Amino acid sequence: VVDSTALPEQVAGDAVASAFQSAGQRCSALRLLIVQEDVAEAMIGMIAGAMAELKVGDPADLATDVGPIIDAEACAGIKSAMAEARAAGWVIAESTDVAGAPMGGHFVAPTMIRVPTIANVSREIFGPVLHVVTFAAEELDAVIDAVNASGYGLTLGLHSRIDAVAAHVAARARVGNIYVNRNQIGAVVGVQPFG
């Protein structure tokens, strides 16, 4: 969840890391970015710009940012979901640099999909796919209620420079971990409480 006080460069970096590192195949990966409409276009544009710089390919190559999907079945499922989103006109950005991807591998270009509502994200796509939805400032409680109703809740990230907003979201959200003003894929298993 990103409000209008968030730092755009920090949001872009954290969103790209959280959604696309490990090809989006982490249990805590960012699946849904919820941005206050007052700053949404600039935030989305900055994230799209960062996505355009991502290199998809062999993870043994140090220039690679996004490696392969775990197997052919998972790759096909992700590509099918992306085709549905494309048919609906929801794909708004897609990394096109897959030149470094070895032939025969299971690679998916990082993709950003803009959906009308949180409810449109009814299943988790376990790959490099980021859904985006916007909200009006006065709808923050409704946003958290919709997240709570989604059936997902391992991690929640919040970008806001207002402590009261962070405290309010933390009190209202029913999730395992809440990260404030950072990426959401950094829990150290066995060291930090998680899940």
Side-chain angles (χ1 to χ4, degrees), residues 35-193:
V35 185
Q36 188 172 327
E37 61 190 13
D38 305 280
V39 296
E41 296 314 313
M43 293 282 185
I44 291 167
M46 192 170 285
I47 293 166
M51 285 175 58
E53 298 300 316
L54 295 175
K55 306 290 186 217
V56 178
D58 184 344
D61 180 350
L62 294 178
T64 295
D65 298 302
V66 181
I69 302 302
I70 191 74
D71 60 28
E73 181 181 359
C75 188
I78 295 165
K79 287 182 177 181
S80 173
M82 289 169 51
E84 291 172 16
R86 196 170 283 106
W90 292 349
V91 173
I92 57 172
E94 191 168 8
S95 173
T96 57
D97 188 349
V98 293
M103 296 298 291
H106 308 295
F107 295 91
V108 174
T111 303
M112 186 166 28
I113 297 169
R114 189 167 188 166
V115 294
T117 69
I118 292 169
N120 290 107
V121 184
S122 58
R123 64 185 167 110
E124 180 179 25
I125 299 174
F126 203 65
V129 178
L130 175 60
H131 296 84
V132 179
V133 68
T134 60
F135 72 99
E138 65 275 7
E139 296 173 339
L140 181 60
D141 283 345
V143 163
I144 301 306
D145 291 344
V147 168
N148 288 341
S150 72
Y152 297 99
L154 180 62
T155 56
L156 176 76
L158 171 70
H159 275 267
S160 176
R161 289 190 281 173
I162 302 173
D163 288 341
V165 170
H168 179 75
V169 170
R172 191 174 186 98
R174 294 191 310 265
V175 297
N177 288 344
I178 296 179
Y179 296 103
V180 179
N181 296 329
R182 56 154 291 169
N183 72 58
Q184 67 181 51
I185 55 170
V188 180
V189 177
V191 175
Q192 293 173 294

